[in-house]
Amino acid sequence: MEATWPMLEPMLDSTGNMTGTVHRAMFGKNPSGSEVSAHLVQFEAAARTHWHTHDGEQILIVTAGTVIVQREHQPAVRLEPGQAIRLPADERHWHGSAGGAAAHIAVNLGNTVWLEAVTDLAFDAAVKGARGLLEEA
Ligand code: MN
């Protein structure tokens, strides 16, 4: 049988910018240095990014499981599949699993500046204090 569709298969992220097991597939950047990149990111249970900022906006679109996102000095929010969020440029934040396996698409403008890991203590507190995206604060 002929080969059919080329599968998009995320690879183990070994950048050192994640806690736990994260698989990631990136689309872009193009050879001329596109400012837009897209990533399919799959988090195993309790896996999450380190704290970071982006030069430009980032949008996150949840495709599986429950994703948690925390902006600095704010309670975390939980996002369910189909929900999307916009993160402003240059604001410290992290994202990842809210407990179980989860995945999102990230579309980034500009570069990412990686910072320190989210400690287990901070992660647990964020999960406990998180509200749904559409719940009142
Ligand atoms: Mn981000």
Side-chain angles (χ1 to χ4, degrees):
M1 201 167 122
E2 289 292 304
T4 56
W5 291 90
M7 296 285 290
L8 179 64
E9 296 184 275
M11 307 288 287
L12 184 65
D13 186 308
S14 54
T15 58
N17 296 320
M18 309 286 165
T19 298
T21 302
V22 178
H23 289 78
R24 187 167 61 93
M26 183 176 82
F27 178 73
K29 305 175 172 187
N30 71 33
S32 64
S34 167
E35 294 194 353
V36 181
S37 61
H39 311 249
L40 174 58
V41 188
Q42 300 170 332
F43 299 97
E44 293 193 4
R48 66 272 186 181
T49 69
H50 287 188
W51 285 98
H52 61 279
T53 63
H54 305 282
D55 289 355
E57 283 188 333
Q58 178 182 54
I59 61 172
L60 300 177
I61 305 159
V62 177
T63 56
T66 303
V67 165
I68 190 167
V69 183
Q70 186 167 35
R71 298 158 70 178
E72 193 166 41
H73 308 308
Q74 296 192 30
V77 291
R78 286 188 310 269
L79 288 83
E80 306 300 331
Q83 293 187 320
I85 197 170
R86 181 190 295 269
L87 289 151
D90 298 320
E91 188 178 79
R92 282 169 54 96
H93 68 275
W94 58 268
H95 24 109
S97 152
H104 65 49
I105 296 167
V107 182
N108 301 349
L109 300 183
N111 293 310
T112 300
V113 179
W114 289 104
L115 304 164
E116 73 276 16
V118 178
T119 64
D120 288 346
L121 200 65
F123 176 76
D124 291 344
V127 170
K128 267 198 192 99
R131 61 183 170 81
L133 184 61
L134 301 177
E135 289 172 27
E136 295 296 323

